[in-house]
């Protein structure tokens, strides 16, 4: 592939701009769900692992002084990009290097949130957690992740994916002191997510993924109003989209059910792809028959164990899906929460995933 490159400075960090078109995807492409292991010099990983994912800002997690933090996050993003390219992954995220958690980066950037006086809500384990307090109308006054996708797009010729927290999940991770009910709050979040998705696509994202883990955790409310909010978040979106639904971070939520409490309901949503976890749970993949019209982002890397799986074991986990959907409808991925792994383990697991893809492509 022919390409040219130029260099510029962005936020104090050097940016290499790749001007080639994105590399075409092979069958059974590989990707992370979202996060990658943040370096120890960037974030206090012991503090990160010793608490539930922050819903409000958690600046105490960063090891770098505020005036140098943006530059350090850019440098960490470049390292994450190169590590995944070297491992052989096909679709890249930015590794969420700039985020304290998958949701608070976006949720705390919205107007209508009282950041100085947070509220309290129960997390999916039933523990009270500080959360954003909705004190007024939720408004997205500016793009949150556009600069991040531009940085990612400028530094790789791979297809790129960006993630944004879902409206239902954010409504569950907030104290609502403004709207008449959480359904109304979820719709307000949906409008913010909708605008963000459209801007991320316009900035060059090839795929935008909405993270909705609380649909699994709170299926009754998800059926009542969560799906309506998700559909509103996707209204009028023309770029490729995915919805991620999971059992919670393996580093924190250790027990896994063998089936999803909310999954077939997503078959009719406008998203093109559905991201699920199967490795740690040993999920019964018969559920894939309900998603026959969707591309499935299939989590086949167990993040509850730092030991690196063999490529053949990962390939076996993917083969289980072939009885229920065709290989051209599968993206091979990790379970979610790679940010909690040691970097050496994360790198090895990515190589195993890429190796599994090579084995399976040779068989097809």
């Amino acid at each position: 592939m022919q390409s040219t490159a130029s260099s510029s400075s962005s936020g104090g960090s050097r940016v290499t701009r790749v001007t080639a078109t994105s590399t075409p995807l092979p069958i059974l492409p590989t990707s992370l769900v979202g996060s990658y292991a943040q370096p120890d010099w960037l974030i206090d990983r012991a503090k990160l692992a010793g608490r539930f994912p922050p819903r409000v800002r958690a600046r105490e997690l960063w090891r770098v002084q505020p005036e140098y933090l943006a530059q350090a996050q850019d440098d960490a993003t470049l390292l994450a990009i190169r590590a995944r390219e070297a491992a052989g992954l096909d679709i890249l995220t930015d590794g969420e290097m700039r985020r304290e958690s998958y949701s608070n980066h976006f949720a705390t950037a919205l107007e209508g949130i009282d950041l100085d006086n947070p509220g309290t809500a129960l997390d999916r384990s039933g523990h009270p957690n500080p959360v954003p307090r909705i004190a007024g109308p939720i408004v997205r006054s500016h793009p949150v992740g556009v600069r991040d996708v531009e940085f990612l797009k400028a530094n790789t010729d791979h297809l790129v994916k960006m993630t944004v927290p879902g409206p239902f999940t954010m409504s569950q991770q907030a104290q609502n002191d403004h709207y008449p009910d959480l359904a109304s709050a979820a719709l307000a979040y949906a409008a913010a997510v909708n605008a963000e998705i459209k801007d991320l696509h316009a900035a060059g994202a090839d795929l935008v993924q909405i993270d909705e883990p609380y649909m699994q955790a709170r299926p009754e409310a998800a059926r009542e109003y969560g799906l309506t909010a998700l559909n509103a978040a996707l209204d009028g979106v023309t770029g490729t989209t995915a919805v991620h639904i999971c059992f919670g971070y393996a580093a924190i939520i250790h027990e896994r059910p063998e089936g999803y409490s909310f999954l077939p309901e997503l078959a009719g949503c406008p998203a093109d792809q559905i991201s699920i976890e199967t490795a740690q749970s040993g999920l019964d993949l018969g559920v894939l028959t309900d998603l026959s019209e969707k591309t499935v982002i299939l989590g086949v890397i167990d993040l509850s164990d730092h030991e690196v799986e063999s490529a053949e074991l990962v390939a076996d986990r993917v083969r289980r899906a072939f009885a229920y959907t065709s290989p051209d409808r599968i993206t091979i991925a990790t379970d979610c929460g790679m940010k909690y792994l040691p970097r050496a383990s994360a790198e090895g697991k990515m190589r195993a995933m890429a190796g599994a893809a090579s084995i399976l492509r040779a068989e097809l």
Side-chain angles (χ1 to χ4, degrees):
M1 180 186 65
Q2 298 296 317
S3 66
T4 59
S6 62
S7 296
S8 67
S9 178
S10 178
S13 290
R14 189 173 180 83
V15 179
T16 301
R17 303 199 175 277
V18 181
T19 58
T21 57
S22 296
T23 304
L25 284 179
I27 194 169
L28 296 170
T30 52
S31 175
L32 300 188
V33 171
S35 69
Y36 179 66
Q38 291 161 302
D40 293 274
W41 51 259
L42 178 65
I43 205 161
D44 189 325
R45 292 175 58 84
K47 285 183 180 178
L48 179 71
R51 57 170 296 167
F52 283 93
R55 311 306 182 198
V56 295
R57 292 308 309 270
R59 292 181 175 87
E60 69 276 6
L61 293 177
W62 300 106
R63 292 190 184 273
V64 179
Q65 293 300 310
E67 62 267 32
Y68 304 119
L69 183 56
Q71 184 183 66
Q73 290 168 339
D74 282 353
D75 290 344
T77 301
L78 287 173
L79 290 174
I81 291 169
R82 299 298 168 244
R84 282 164 297 153
E85 289 176 338
L89 269 59
D90 302 301
I91 303 168
L92 302 190
T93 70
D94 69 347
E96 300 179 1
M97 292 290 117
R98 302 175 183 87
R99 304 189 193 185
E100 297 153 3
S101 79
Y102 74 96
S103 62
N104 76 334
H105 183 73
F106 183 82
T108 60
L110 303 175
E111 293 184 7
I113 303 299
D114 186 347
L115 297 178
D116 296 323
N117 301 285
T120 302
L122 298 180
D123 60 31
R124 65 188 298 163
S125 299
H127 296 88
N129 222 6
V131 296
R133 187 175 69 85
I134 305 173
I138 294 169
V139 176
R140 172 189 169 274
S141 59
H142 63 277
V144 178
V146 162
R147 193 263 177 185
D148 300 345
V149 74
E150 289 174 343
F151 186 90
L152 174 59
K153 196 78 174 178
N155 285 285
T156 187
D157 61 359
H158 287 49
L159 268 68
V160 303
K161 176 174 81 170
M162 294 298 292
T163 62
V164 62
F168 176 74
T169 290
M170 284 191 287
S171 75
Q172 304 302 296
Q173 295 177 353
Q175 178 176 306
N176 174 31
D177 289 351
H178 175 74
Y179 291 97
D181 49 43
L182 282 180
S184 301
L187 285 175
Y189 277 121
V193 172
N194 182 264
E196 181 77 2
I197 291 172
K198 290 174 180 176
D199 279 348
L200 291 173
H201 279 308
D206 298 294
L207 170 64
V208 178
Q209 176 180 291
I210 300 177
D211 292 331
E212 282 285 18
Y214 272 67
M215 285 187 164
Q216 162 64 23
R218 295 174 184 169
E220 294 81 8
R223 294 185 186 97
E224 181 184 349
Y225 59 86
L227 198 57
T228 299
L230 176 62
N231 290 344
L234 292 166
D235 184 51
V237 173
T238 56
T240 304
T241 55
V243 177
H244 172 66
I245 186 167
C246 69
F247 299 113
Y249 288 141
I252 297 169
I253 308 295
H254 303 294
E255 298 298 323
R256 289 290 195 272
E258 294 183 357
Y260 276 94
S261 60
F262 189 95
L263 187 60
E265 292 87 348
L266 295 176
C269 82
D272 306 287
Q273 305 183 14
I274 307 298
S275 171
I276 63 173
E277 298 181 303
T278 74
Q280 188 183 352
S281 66
L283 186 73
D284 178 358
L285 294 187
V287 298
L288 297 183
T289 58
D290 296 316
L291 304 174
S292 59
E293 299 303 313
K294 305 291 188 185
T295 292
V296 175
I297 302 173
L298 192 72
V300 290
I301 297 293
D302 185 351
L303 302 186
S304 67
D305 187 351
H306 293 176
E307 184 176 348
V308 175
E309 299 98 322
S310 69
E312 187 55 50
L313 174 59
V314 178
D316 280 340
R317 291 173 180 167
V318 178
R319 289 187 188 101
R320 293 198 306 132
F322 291 169
Y324 306 103
T325 190
S326 58
D328 63 319
R329 288 188 177 274
I330 295 174
T331 295
I332 301 174
T334 59
D335 284 6
C336 75
M338 185 166 266
K339 70 184 296 173
Y340 290 96
L341 288 186
R343 288 171 68 186
S345 177
E347 290 171 3
K349 285 176 178 285
M350 290 191 304
R351 289 193 297 270
M353 189 166 61
S358 296
I359 292 171
L360 293 168
R361 288 167 191 158
E363 295 173 353
L364 296 175

